[in-house]
Amino acid sequence: ILSKLPLEQVAHVLARACGPMGSCAEYLFNTVLHLQEFGIRDRNLWRLQELVAREIEDIHGPCQDKAAE
């Protein structure tokens, strides 16, 4: 039986996972971005991207734009 993890659990893992090609969070972001360029919007991927971004913010704090300073 294949069970599906809730997106919140997947986001928790992806926000912290990294491999030889970079972080999973960055890979997800690039995937969502490129799909958007082709007019493809997958609501689950977008939701997962939002959850991963929140997880990263919880870990590191809010991103500060140095150019705005």
Side-chain angles (χ1 to χ4, degrees):
I1 298 174
L2 180 64
S3 64
K4 293 184 179 182
L5 292 174
L7 288 180
E8 292 78 10
Q9 279 186 286
V10 175
H12 180 85
V13 172
L14 288 181
R16 292 160 177 81
C18 189
M21 300 298 286
S23 75
C24 289
E26 185 176 10
Y27 182 85
L28 173 62
F29 176 77
N30 286 328
T31 299
V32 169
L33 188 64
H34 287 108
L35 287 174
Q36 181 181 1
E37 290 172 0
F38 288 105
I40 300 168
R41 183 176 173 98
D42 182 288
R43 66 184 166 123
N44 288 323
L45 281 179
W46 276 87
R47 177 72 179 137
L48 185 56
Q49 171 60 33
E50 291 171 3
L51 292 169
V52 168
R54 281 192 209 146
E55 284 281 335
I56 292 171
E57 190 171 291
D58 287 348
I59 295 167
H60 300 289
C63 182
Q64 296 181 7
D65 186 0
K66 296 291 183 189
E69 293 178 352

